[in-house]
């Protein structure tokens, strides 16, 4: 082996001087990653709610909706993005359409399960107290379904953070841009930074949503601790 | 208790990350400073410089950007955009204003592989301009520095099949695996050219990267037998590879040449860029590439150093 | 509709059915590696899941099990591929890029199997377990005769999830210089060839769906009548994501 290989082997996993010099790029990538995720999850939630409510209202649509969802779900993300590219190009739009699709698949299922899980006696009691229609939905069913819905949000958010990585093939990618640089240049530092921050972002988002769940379901606190 | 703290820490980290991201650079990672751009005389135009997905291109882009910035222009560098299929349309659409091209390859690309490129960089540049001008683009002066596609084999392979030139490969091509950038099967100077000019039909093609670490690792370890590397790559000498001689002149004068949008190509801009190019040599490129690829030095730091050494900043 | 006609022609072009870049070879690469990786993942994950779940779901085993699945979801597949490519290199059997691809595929397939096995085994009705112990069965026998058979549908659901995940990881491995069906998608991107891109996506989607459907049939076949994998009708347990099968995430 020549000197070439000796020098290459000396590449440390993190060169902090590189991190300091490129902190603006790192933060920009982190921001892009968080934005792509945030948009996908919020849009996904906005679309999933009506879909879930419709599926429950018209029970015969529930099976087809979940079935189509199940099939789309199985398609690997790279393939899903590839299906869209001939029509929407290498753009953020393509990325978001793909990302939102996956969040819908997760959220619809969880919202339906959550609402289905509200005990019938509770609903009877509520109706007896005058909670009907929308009031029942907003005042009784949703709060009780909250744990399941937030659980779905946690999965959707963490999953989306992972899927954003794949959008790097379309020039997006967020923190995956750093990982790609590490791979193409055989350079460990950006790779380590990109991967670590992606996992950290996912863990932080998950913990944050757990916090939200605790705040939103104060009655469950008695059962904890 | 432990769980509460964990949740609090997580929420803090997430909030900090979001706040830091919001306070960080604006936009999509461009190092742009705010300001107006103007095309006529008056405030100097702001110039976005793009680069291909290999270090030499990033170094050149940074050289142009910093030389212009030294004379008061607002510049930004968008490196790692991709191959020419990405970069050229970006220039045409105005997403970037300038990139460092290579005379023969860019001519063939814009001229739809018509085969007009020759070994004379100046004539390539003239033909290129004839096509670029109607698009609102132009090519400036070609530099003496050139970076050609080269095809290399390991010394062992060269000895085994007695290979010195690309013509020598013809009888054994069917046993060899070619490695190169994914666009190689569609580029006139790559696989189709090898077949047309030398009659080389390889056993298979492995898509890797443009003369980068993947191709070099694959060549070194024998996963490919012949790889596309750039003539300015320091690894060739370091690893004792044999560059097969292009005896039938498939490759043409791929001298570095700036391609720029006419809108920002003021007299001063042109003279700065031509000045930088005229002082650049192939040897410079080779040395800088080695430092970027092997030593992992930053392209922008390398550009800064070269400009300083040559009196531009 | 011109584009779709082009796609049709791509599939009928005879050149695309021969050689190392032909559909049969790429399909074979993809399927063979996926089978191998799934088998390896089962060999590692199944015993681990049993260990964690045997004797009930709560306690240390329970917490480890939940955390494995959560962590598995938080790590991006492409990131793992890039990381492994740089850490252990691209040289591998049976081809360039195979080593990081295989390791990544196995690693990412383990969490769903572990989680589902541990839930499946752990959720066995404690009364059934007590009855078995009361009948004089040893721990090993309880496992073999009571816990595993009852856990089988859920375990199978985990294997199904993993298999689809493996097919997806294999698709991404084309980005780290491997072959497989993902090659068409990745080359389609670099060559700006939308027809190749789309055709590759069709092949990949088809393989994933077939995998899911076939294993779904197997899973249903193994489910004793009247028994549903837990979670389908149950309420979400506090602290755990409500999903069925137990780990629900699209294949990355």
């Amino acid at each position: 082996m020549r000197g070439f290989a000796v020098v290459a082997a000396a590449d440390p996993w993190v060169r902090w001087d590189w991190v300091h010099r490129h902190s603006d790029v790192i933060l920009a990538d982190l921001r892009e990653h968080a934005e792509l995720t945030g948009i996908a999850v919020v849009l996904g939630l906005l679309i999933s709610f009506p879909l879930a409510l419709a599926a429950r209202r018209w029970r015969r649509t529930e099976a087809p909706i979940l079935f189509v969802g199940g099939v789309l779900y199985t398609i690997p993300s790279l393939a899903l993005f590839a299906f869209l590219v001939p029509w929407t190009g290498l753009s953020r739009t393509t990325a978001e359409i793909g990302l939102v699709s996956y969040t819908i698949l997760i959220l619809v299922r969880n919202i339906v399960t959550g609402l289905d899980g509200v005990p019938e006696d509770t609903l009877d009691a509520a109706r007896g107290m005058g909670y009907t229609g929308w009031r029942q939905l907003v005042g009784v069913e949703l709060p009780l379904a909250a744990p399941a819905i937030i659980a779905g949000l946690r999965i959707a958010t963490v999953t989306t953070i992972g899927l954003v990585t794949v959008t790097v093939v379309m020039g997006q990618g967020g923190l995956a841009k750093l990982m790609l640089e590490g791979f193409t240049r055989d350079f460990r530092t950006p790779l380590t930074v990109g991967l670590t921050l992606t996992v950290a972002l996912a863990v932080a988002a998950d913990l944050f949503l757990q916090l939200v769940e605790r705040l939103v379901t104060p009655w469950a606190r008695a059962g904890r601790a | 208790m432990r769980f509460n703290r964990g949740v609090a820490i997580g929420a803090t980290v997430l909030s900090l990350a979001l706040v830091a991201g919001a306070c960080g650079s604006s936009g999509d990672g461009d190092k742009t400073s705010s300001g107006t751009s103007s095309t006529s005389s008056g405030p100097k135009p702001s110039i976005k410089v793009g680069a291909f997905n290999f270090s030499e291109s990033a170094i050149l882009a940074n050289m142009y950007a910093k030389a212009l910035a030294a004379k008061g222009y607002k510049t930004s560098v968008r490196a790692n955009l991709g191959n020419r299929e990405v970069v050229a349309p970006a220039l045409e659409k105005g997403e970037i204003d300038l990139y460092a091209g290579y005379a023969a390859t860019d001519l063939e690309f814009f001229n739809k592989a018509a085969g007009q490129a020759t070994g004379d960089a100046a004539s390539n540049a003239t033909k290129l301009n004839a096509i670029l001008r109607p698009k609102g683009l132009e090519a400036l002066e070609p530099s003496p520095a050139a970076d050609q596609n080269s095809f290399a084999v390991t010394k062992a392979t060269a000895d085994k099949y007695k290979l010195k030139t690309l013509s020598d490969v013809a009888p054994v091509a069917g046993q060899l695996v070619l490695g190169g950038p994914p666009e190689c099967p569609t580029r006139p100077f790559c696989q189709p050219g090898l077949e047309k000019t030398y009659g080389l039909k390889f056993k298979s093609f492995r898509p890797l990267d443009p003369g980068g670490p993947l191709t070099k690792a694959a060549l070194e370890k024998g996963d490919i037998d012949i790889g596309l590397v750039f003539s300015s790559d320091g690894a060739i000498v370091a690893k004792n590879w044999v560059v097969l001689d292009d005896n039938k002149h498939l490759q043409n004068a791929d001298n570095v040449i700036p391609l720029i949008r006419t809108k920002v190509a003021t007299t001063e801009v042109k003279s700065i860029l031509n000045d930088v190019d005229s002082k650049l040599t192939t040897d410079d490129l080779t040395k800088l590439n080695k430092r970027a690829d092997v030593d992992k030095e930053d392209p922008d730091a390398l550009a800064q150093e070269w400009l300083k050494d040559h009196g531009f900043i | 509709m011109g584009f779709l006609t082009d796609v049709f022609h791509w599939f009928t072009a005879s050149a695309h059915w021969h050689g190392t870049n032909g559909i049969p070879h790429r399909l074979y690469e993809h399927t063979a590696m996926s089978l191998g990786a799934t088998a390896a993942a089962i060999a590692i994950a199944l015993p681990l899941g049993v260990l964690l779940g045997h004797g009930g779901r709560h306690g240390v085993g329970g917490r480890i099990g939940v955390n494995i699945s959560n962590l598995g979801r938080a790590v991006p597949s492409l990131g793992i591929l890039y990381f492994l490519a740089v850490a252990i290199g691209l040289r591998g059997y049976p081809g360039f890029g195979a080593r990081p691809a295989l390791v990544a595929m196995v690693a990412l397939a383990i969490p769903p199997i572990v989680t589902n096995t541990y839930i499946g085994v752990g959720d066995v009705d404690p009364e059934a377990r007590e009855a078995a112990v009361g009948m004089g069965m040893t721990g090993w026998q309880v496992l073999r005769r009571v816990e595993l058979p009852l856990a089988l549908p859920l375990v199978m659901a985990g294997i199904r999830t993993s298999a689809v995940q493996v097919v997806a990881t294999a698709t991404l491995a084309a980005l780290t210089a491997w072959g497989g069906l993902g090659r068409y998608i990745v080359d389609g991107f670099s060559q700006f060839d939308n027809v190749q891109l789309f055709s590759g996506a069709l092949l990949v989607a088809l393989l994933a769906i077939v995998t899911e459907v076939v294993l779904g049939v197997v899973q249903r076949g193994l489910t004793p009548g009247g028994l549903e994998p837990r979670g389908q009708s149950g309420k979400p347990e506090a602290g755990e994501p409500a999903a069925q099968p137990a780990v629900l995430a699209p294949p990355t």
Side-chain angles (χ1 to χ4, degrees):
Chain A
M1 286 289 211
R2 305 272 169 157
F4 186 99
V6 172
V7 176
D11 187 21
W13 283 109
V14 184
R15 270 173 45 183
W16 292 104
D17 58 316
W18 188 93
V19 175
H20 282 304
R21 269 202 310 276
H22 293 82
S23 57
D24 55 341
V25 172
I26 294 173
L27 285 174
D29 285 349
L30 177 61
R31 186 160 173 247
E32 180 185 280
H33 209 117
E35 271 175 21
L36 283 168
T37 306
I39 294 173
V41 172
V42 167
L43 271 180
L45 195 58
L46 289 175
I47 299 175
S48 299
F49 249 117
L51 263 179
L53 293 177
R56 295 187 75 237
R57 169 88 169 71
W58 295 288
R59 282 289 174 178
R60 267 175 301 161
T61 62
E62 180 176 338
I65 288 181
L66 291 178
F67 175 75
V68 170
V71 169
L72 283 180
Y73 207 65
T74 320
I75 299 176
S77 57
L78 187 59
L80 190 71
F81 292 126
F83 278 135
L84 297 168
V85 164
W87 285 278
T88 50
L90 300 175
S91 61
R92 205 177 236 221
T93 311
T94 309
E96 289 294 1
I97 295 178
L99 294 170
V100 169
S101 306
Y102 284 118
T103 61
I104 294 177
L105 300 174
I106 298 170
L107 289 173
V108 167
R109 199 175 284 255
N110 275 62
I111 297 174
V112 167
T113 305
L115 291 171
D116 281 351
V118 176
E120 201 45 49
D121 353 352
T122 315
L123 288 175
D124 279 341
R127 270 192 286 269
M129 283 176 10
Y131 281 91
T132 54
W134 287 108
R135 283 195 71 200
Q136 176 181 310
L137 179 66
V138 174
V140 181
E141 292 182 280
L142 279 182
L144 288 176
I149 297 177
I150 296 184
L153 269 174
R154 280 170 61 191
I155 301 176
T157 307
V158 170
T159 307
T160 304
I161 291 175
L163 289 173
V164 165
T165 330
V166 179
T167 64
V168 79
V169 299
M170 297 179 297
Q172 321 291 322
L175 293 163
K177 289 203 192 106
L178 290 166
M179 297 192 241
L180 178 67
E181 182 180 351
F183 172 68
T184 53
R185 288 181 68 191
D186 200 20
F187 184 14
R188 289 174 175 180
T189 301
L191 182 56
T192 313
V193 171
L195 188 55
T196 311
L197 283 178
T198 307
V199 175
L201 183 63
V203 170
D206 192 59
L207 289 174
F208 177 73
L209 286 169
Q210 283 185 47
L211 180 66
V212 168
E213 180 185 348
R214 301 180 128 229
L215 293 175
V216 157
T217 55
W219 55 84
R221 242 179 248 155
R224 279 194 289 262
Chain B
M1 270 311 270
R2 214 183 66 217
F3 188 62
N4 269 332
R5 235 207 336 243
V7 170
I9 291 175
T12 314
V13 168
L14 182 64
S15 321
L16 280 176
L18 289 174
V19 167
C23 295
S25 73
S26 58
D28 45 350
D30 292 0
K31 296 191 195 124
T32 350
S33 36
S34 60
T36 54
S37 74
S38 157
T39 56
S40 53
S41 61
K44 303 188 173 191
S46 114
I47 302 183
K48 298 187 282 285
V49 191
F52 298 114
N53 53 346
F54 48 89
S55 358
E56 178 177 283
S57 193
I59 297 172
L60 290 169
N62 274 288
M63 276 186 196
Y64 291 164
K66 288 179 192 293
L68 290 168
K71 292 281 192 286
Y73 291 85
K74 294 179 185 67
T75 61
S76 64
V77 174
R78 297 189 60 188
N80 239 335
L81 286 174
N83 53 19
R84 199 170 269 95
E85 277 81 351
V86 179
V87 174
L91 185 71
E92 291 183 67
K93 284 192 253 174
E95 288 163 12
I96 55 173
D97 301 302
L98 165 67
Y99 73 81
Y102 298 90
T105 305
D106 273 287
L107 172 58
E108 287 303 303
F109 182 82
F110 281 100
N111 206 13
K112 305 207 194 307
Q116 293 270 299
T118 66
D120 176 2
S123 102
N124 289 342
T126 313
K127 291 180 192 153
L128 183 54
N129 264 314
I131 304 167
L132 291 181
R133 286 209 189 270
K135 296 180 196 271
L137 308 172
E138 59 186 275
L140 304 183
E141 304 274 328
S143 163
D147 186 6
Q148 319 276 134
N149 290 344
S150 323
F151 294 95
V153 295
T154 59
K155 183 130 193 337
T157 310
D159 290 341
K160 179 171 170 192
Y161 296 107
K162 314 249 184 302
L163 304 175
K164 280 219 188 81
T165 70
L166 281 170
S167 292
D168 294 339
V169 179
V172 296
Q175 304 167 42
L176 304 178
V177 176
L178 172 70
E183 61 267 13
C184 184
T186 59
R187 289 293 181 84
F189 294 147
C190 206
Q191 198 174 11
L194 290 171
E195 193 173 327
K196 209 167 100 174
T197 307
Y198 291 98
L200 305 182
K201 284 197 152 112
F202 292 99
K203 181 165 142 198
S204 65
F205 168 73
R206 203 181 274 290
L208 297 161
D209 56 6
L214 297 187
T215 306
K216 292 189 274 194
L219 185 61
E220 166 120 358
K221 299 193 180 149
D223 288 291
I224 56 174
D225 302 297
I226 171 169
L228 184 152
V229 294
F230 294 135
S231 57
S232 55
D233 194 331
I236 299 175
V237 170
K239 294 183 165 301
N240 214 13
W241 288 336
V242 174
V243 171
L244 299 168
D245 188 39
D246 184 21
N247 52 313
K248 290 194 183 164
H249 297 294
L250 169 65
Q251 305 303 331
N252 286 301
D254 253 337
N255 296 58
V256 172
I257 187 169
L259 274 79
I260 189 170
R261 290 174 62 76
T262 313
K263 226 164 100 154
V264 302
T266 64
T267 321
E268 192 188 13
V269 167
K270 290 201 278 197
S271 99
I272 295 172
L273 296 175
N274 285 329
D275 209 12
V276 170
D277 270 351
S278 67
K279 299 212 167 74
L280 204 55
T281 67
T282 304
D283 198 46
D284 284 341
L285 290 181
T286 309
K287 292 207 173 72
L288 292 168
N289 285 341
K290 184 238 167 215
R291 289 169 68 185
D293 289 333
V294 178
D295 305 332
K296 316 290 186 214
E297 292 189 47
D298 283 334
D300 59 339
L302 292 169
Q304 178 99 356
E305 193 188 300
W306 186 92
L307 288 172
K308 212 154 153 230
D309 289 343
H310 290 79
F312 286 95
I313 47 179
Chain C
M1 283 300 114
F3 179 72
L4 293 175
T5 334
D6 290 336
V7 170
F8 178 74
H9 284 135
W10 190 92
F11 277 102
T12 53
S14 105
H16 293 143
W17 292 87
H18 295 104
T20 43
N21 206 33
I23 296 172
H25 184 250
R26 292 297 183 210
L27 180 62
Y28 166 72
E29 273 185 318
H30 206 119
T31 319
M33 277 281 263
S34 300
L35 278 171
T38 310
I42 293 174
I44 298 172
L46 206 60
L48 191 57
V50 165
L51 206 70
L52 293 171
H54 180 57
R57 249 222 285 165
H58 306 281
V60 174
R63 270 206 292 279
I64 297 179
V66 173
N67 285 326
I68 287 182
S69 81
N70 282 344
L71 197 67
R73 250 201 304 276
V75 178
S77 318
L78 187 54
I80 289 293
L81 277 166
Y82 284 147
F83 178 82
L84 288 169
V86 170
I88 65 179
L90 288 164
R91 192 93 204 284
Y93 178 80
F96 197 63
R99 192 186 295 163
L102 195 59
V103 174
M105 284 157 77
V106 173
L108 291 164
I110 288 177
I113 301 178
V114 168
T115 306
N116 274 46
T117 305
Y118 120 81
I119 289 182
V121 169
D123 264 6
V124 165
D125 193 346
E127 287 179 13
R129 245 190 234 109
E130 279 166 28
V133 170
M135 282 181 357
M137 291 194 202
T138 65
W140 191 237
Q141 285 173 322
V142 171
L143 178 66
R144 227 171 14 105
R145 301 222 210 134
V146 178
E147 290 179 319
L148 277 180
L150 287 176
L152 205 49
L154 206 59
V155 170
M156 201 50 228
I159 292 177
R160 184 170 153 214
T161 307
S162 277
V164 175
Q165 171 68 56
V166 160
V167 168
T169 311
T171 312
L172 285 175
L175 286 166
T176 48
W178 191 58
L181 294 172
R183 194 76 257 149
Y184 298 127
I185 300 180
V186 172
D187 288 347
F189 272 116
S190 359
Q191 293 168 7
F192 272 68
D193 182 353
N194 280 348
V195 176
Q196 189 183 182
L197 184 67
F198 194 86
S199 308
L202 276 176
L203 287 165
V204 168
L206 215 66
L207 181 62
I209 293 173
V210 163
T211 307
E212 160 89 359
V213 166
V214 165
L215 291 178
V217 167
V218 172
Q219 179 186 333
R220 256 187 296 281
L222 289 173
T223 306
L227 201 73
E228 287 169 27
R230 196 202 167 278
Q232 213 131 16
S233 50
K235 296 195 184 75
E237 196 175 300
E240 237 180 68
Q244 27 84 20
V247 175
L248 195 70
T252 319

